[in-house]
């Protein structure tokens, strides 16, 4: 900054042919903020943040008044964080509701875990500026083995089903042609097909992430290059003293082509048994391998809570106004949990969160993801990311660790740490402004004062208008002509994507 104006050219932000006056109209100067920049540094009061266009160009304590013609926003008493990432989302439909819910909650970037044609189109509209929505990192179509339970699960959407190495490699090449940012792998792959996917993905410079296939160990998946592993699948078995016996059962359990869900739930039941014989020594070996390979975990605690807590502790009636009534009736019909099952569910939840804590303490990176969208009951886009952060703190993470799981560590995990995840010059202008210190109480991330999404300031009044429009739109959107096939969710066992 200088007394004569902002020297944007020095920051590489001036576009040839534009006037200095036009450039200054694109500039936002936030003053007197308390910054929590995502690096792990404590709160930095009295901070000025300068945004030009879609980038942050300066951060620090500046004593010079901004020049005339620049918009100045006084954030005295407010806390500024990097815009949040949700690392596991599903915008399968109804983007007119989901996109504003993400932005209104400060979720400025998401990782879409099923790269359907619909999702790719939404991504293109956001990237071109046609609609306001979160920055998207988009998966391939799901790549699964034969007899996948995902066939026609969401209308006519089905995964790529591969049986041979050649088919597996072809699926990766298709993902590349489709413009996928990474390959999403799933539960029914075997060692041969996952190895072939990994080889081809490495050749084409595509990361792989997703479910650890049921017949593989988490270490094998990590060694093959999985960037993230979702939902703790397979980890439960691999940290058990009964690992070898349970692995034998898994290898000898066939998939009934007429009931692939039955196989899926059988695997989840085995995991529940496995964690009862948790072996800290064996777990330490697994965690060391994940940390060595820089494989992150996306524990999706909100989903863990969904299928282990009674419905009355999961449901949030105050959010139903943002959801079409038919979504609540068709997709969000929670099953009651018998009293005798509730105790077993709670024990499984406690064992699971111990697993997450132990992995984090051993140096495994945790990233915040939720299955956000309308896919799972009461895991509502945007709002659920704040629930995930709150759960992380409840189970033993510090508020700073929780915040970094949705900022710095998330951005690094998808290879965007150089442009996202912290508040520093040169990075995307994605910010969350809140009314209280989230390091004192993580729930303060929900006290949203303003959001900056890709350089656009959404103040409190505009945010309230966005939410009000979602509420009104939700009342008017009719159900699809043909009801989407519902996954069997969400009693003692739940389907997690």
């Amino acid at each position: 900054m200088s007394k004569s104006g902002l020297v944007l050219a020095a920051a590489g932000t001036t576009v040839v042919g534009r006037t200095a006056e036009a450039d200054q109209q694109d500039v936002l100067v936030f003053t007197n903020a308390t910054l929590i920049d995502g690096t792990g540094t404590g709160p930095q009061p009295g901070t000025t943040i300068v945004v030009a266009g879609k980038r942050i160009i300066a951060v620090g304590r500046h004593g010079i008044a901004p020049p005339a013609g620049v918009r100045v926003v006084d954030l005295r008493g407010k806390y500024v964080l990097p815009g949040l990432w949700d690392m596991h989302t599903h915008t399968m439909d109804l983007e007119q509701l989901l996109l504003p819910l993400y932005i209104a909650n400060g979720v400025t970037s998401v990782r879409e875990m099923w790269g359907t044609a619909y999702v790719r189109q939404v991504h293109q509209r956001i990237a071109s500026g046609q609609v306001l929505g979160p920055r998207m990192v988009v998966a391939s179509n799901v790549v699964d083995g034969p007899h996948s339970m995902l066939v026609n699960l969401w209308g006519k959407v089905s995964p790529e089903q591969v049986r041979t190495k050649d088919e597996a490699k072809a699926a990766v090449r298709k993902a590349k042609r489709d413009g996928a940012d990474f390959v999403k792998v799933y539960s029914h792959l075997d060692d041969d097909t996952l190895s072939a996917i990994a080889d081809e993905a490495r050749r084409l410079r595509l990361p792989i992430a997703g479910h650890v296939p049921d017949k593989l160990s988490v270490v094998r998946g990590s060694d093959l290059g999985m960037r993230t592993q979702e939902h703790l699948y397979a980890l439960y078995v691999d940290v058990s003293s009964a690992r070898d016996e349970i692995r034998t059962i898994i290898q000898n359990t066939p998939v009934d082509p007429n009931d692939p869900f039955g196989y899926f739930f059988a695997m989840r039941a085995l995991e529940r048994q496995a964690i009862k014989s948790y072996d800290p020594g064996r777990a330490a070996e697994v965690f060391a391998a994940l940390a060595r390979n820089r494989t992150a975990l996306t524990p999706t605690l909100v989903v863990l809570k969904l299928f282990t807590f009674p419905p009355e502790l999961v449901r949030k009636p105050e959010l139903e106004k943002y959801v079409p009534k038919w979504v609540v009736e068709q997709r969000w019909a929670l099953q009651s949990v018998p009293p005798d099952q509730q105790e077993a569910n709670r024990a499984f939840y406690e064992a699971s969160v111990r697993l997450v804590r132990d992995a984090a303490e051993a140096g495994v990176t945790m990233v915040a993801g939720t299955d956000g969208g309308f896919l799972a009951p009461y895991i509502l886009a945007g709002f659920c990311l704040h629930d995930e952060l709150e759960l992380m703190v409840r189970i033993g993470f510090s508020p700073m660790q929780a915040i970094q799981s949705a900022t710095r560590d998330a951005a690094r995990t998808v290879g965007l740490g150089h442009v996202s995840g912290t508040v520093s010059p040169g990075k995307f202008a994605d910010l969350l402004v809140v009314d209280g210190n989230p390091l004192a109480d993580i729930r303060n991330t929900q006290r949203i004062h303003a959001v900056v999404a890709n350089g656009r300031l959404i103040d409190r009044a505009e945010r309230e208008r966005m939410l009000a429009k979602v509420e009104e739109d939700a009342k008017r959107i009719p159900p699809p002509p043909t009801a989407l096939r519902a996954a069997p969710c969400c009693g003692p066992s739940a389907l997690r994507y």
Side-chain angles (χ1 to χ4, degrees):
M1 295 177 66
S2 70
K3 289 183 179 180
S4 60
L6 291 173
V7 188
L8 299 180
T13 58
T14 298
V15 178
V16 174
R18 299 186 58 190
T19 67
E21 180 181 357
D23 282 325
Q24 290 192 185
Q25 290 174 354
D26 287 343
V27 173
L28 288 168
V29 179
F30 299 96
T31 61
N32 301 311
T34 298
L35 175 63
I36 300 172
D37 63 10
T39 65
T41 302
Q44 304 166 53
T47 299
T48 296
I49 303 165
V50 183
V51 169
K54 299 177 181 180
R55 297 278 181 159
I56 299 167
I57 66 166
V59 179
R61 292 174 179 166
H62 300 283
I64 300 173
V70 170
R71 184 176 180 183
V72 179
V73 181
D74 190 339
L75 295 181
R76 194 179 309 272
K78 310 301 179 185
Y79 292 77
V80 177
L81 291 76
L84 302 176
W85 278 83
D86 189 330
M87 289 287 284
H88 193 127
T89 61
H90 290 287
T91 306
M92 302 298 288
D93 60 357
L94 301 178
E95 83 277 6
Q96 65 269 51
L97 305 181
L98 296 178
L99 301 186
L101 288 179
Y102 282 122
I103 296 300
N105 280 283
V107 178
T108 55
S109 300
V110 299
R111 186 175 61 153
E112 283 287 326
M113 296 301 289
W114 193 345
T116 64
Y118 177 86
V119 170
R120 294 197 298 272
Q121 291 168 6
V122 172
H123 177 215
Q124 290 169 1
R125 290 200 295 275
I126 294 171
S128 66
Q130 296 177 52
V131 297
L132 177 64
R135 201 176 308 279
M136 283 186 169
V137 172
V138 180
S140 66
N141 188 12
V142 173
V143 183
D144 201 4
H147 314 311
S148 175
M149 66 187 179
L150 299 183
V151 174
N152 295 327
L153 182 74
W154 202 264
K156 296 181 180 179
V157 176
S158 292
E160 301 287 339
Q161 293 181 268
V162 301
R163 294 169 175 78
T164 67
K165 292 182 177 181
D166 287 342
E167 290 176 351
K169 291 183 177 182
V172 176
R173 293 193 293 272
K174 183 177 185 300
K176 184 71 172 182
R177 291 195 301 272
D178 287 343
D181 295 306
F182 66 100
V183 179
K184 167 73 178 285
V185 297
Y186 213 67
S187 300
H188 289 175
L189 296 168
D190 58 22
D191 195 277
D192 285 346
T193 49
L194 185 61
S195 297
I197 288 167
D199 289 343
E200 193 71 358
R202 191 177 302 110
R203 186 180 73 83
L204 296 177
R205 297 185 178 181
L206 281 177
I208 59 175
H211 290 200
V212 177
D214 292 319
K215 295 187 183 298
L216 274 68
S217 71
V218 295
V219 173
R220 178 60 174 160
S222 177
D223 287 343
L224 287 173
M226 291 186 72
R227 185 71 58 84
T228 67
Q229 298 177 349
E230 312 299 300
H231 312 306
L232 310 181
Y233 288 158
L235 185 59
Y236 294 105
V237 174
D238 290 342
V239 299
S240 169
S241 61
R243 178 194 62 193
D244 295 344
E245 295 90 330
I246 296 173
R247 282 265 162 237
T248 299
I249 295 172
I250 292 172
Q251 294 296 331
N252 293 330
T253 301
V255 180
D256 181 353
N258 297 316
D259 183 22
F261 279 106
Y263 175 88
F264 180 87
F265 289 128
M267 296 301 102
R268 308 292 76 82
L270 286 171
E271 289 175 342
R272 285 182 170 237
Q273 291 302 313
I275 198 60
K276 293 178 181 179
S277 53
Y278 179 61
D279 183 335
R282 182 160 283 172
E285 296 174 358
V286 172
F287 300 152
L290 294 177
R292 181 175 63 250
N293 292 334
R294 297 184 180 178
T295 298
L297 297 180
T298 317
T300 57
L301 297 175
V302 289
V303 186
L304 181 65
K305 178 180 177 181
L306 171 66
F307 75 92
T308 54
F309 281 54
E312 60 271 17
L313 297 182
V314 175
R315 183 183 178 192
K316 291 191 170 183
E318 69 275 13
L319 298 184
E320 291 183 22
K321 61 186 178 182
Y322 302 121
V323 181
K325 184 178 179 182
W326 56 267
V327 169
V328 176
E329 293 173 346
Q330 292 182 16
R331 303 184 195 168
W332 287 14
L334 289 172
Q335 303 171 12
S336 61
V337 181
D340 60 337
Q341 184 65 45
Q342 291 182 23
E343 184 176 348
N345 282 356
R346 179 54 65 96
F348 180 63
Y349 178 84
E350 294 299 333
S352 298
V353 300
R354 176 190 176 185
L355 191 58
V356 172
R357 285 195 303 267
D358 287 355
E361 289 175 2
V364 179
T365 298
M366 297 290 161
V367 292
T370 66
D371 260 327
F374 289 130
L375 193 65
Y378 302 103
I379 298 180
L380 182 56
F383 293 99
C384 56
L385 195 278
H386 297 277
D387 295 335
E388 184 76 8
L389 300 183
E390 184 176 350
L391 284 173
M392 292 185 80
V393 173
R394 284 187 181 181
I395 72 169
F397 288 77
S398 71
M400 181 66 82
Q401 288 174 317
I403 289 168
Q404 289 184 304
S405 77
T407 55
R408 184 197 67 179
D409 295 345
R412 285 179 176 177
T413 297
V414 295
L416 293 177
H418 60 296
V419 288
S420 180
T422 62
V423 181
S424 54
K427 297 203 173 180
F428 294 138
D430 296 332
L431 304 170
L432 171 61
V433 184
V434 297
D435 286 332
N437 183 0
L439 298 181
D441 185 342
I442 193 63
R443 292 173 296 181
N444 283 330
T445 64
Q446 302 171 46
R447 297 174 59 194
I448 297 173
H449 174 76
V451 175
V452 179
N454 205 24
R456 174 176 169 180
L457 173 62
I458 298 152
D459 60 18
R460 189 189 301 274
E462 184 175 358
R463 178 177 183 269
E464 290 175 354
R465 287 193 294 271
M466 289 174 65
L467 291 173
K469 187 176 187 305
V470 172
E471 183 177 352
E472 288 304 309
D473 288 348
K475 296 175 183 177
R476 294 193 293 264
I477 295 176
T482 302
L484 297 177
R485 176 179 156 201
C489 191
C490 289
S493 296
L495 182 57
R496 291 182 285 176
Y497 296 94

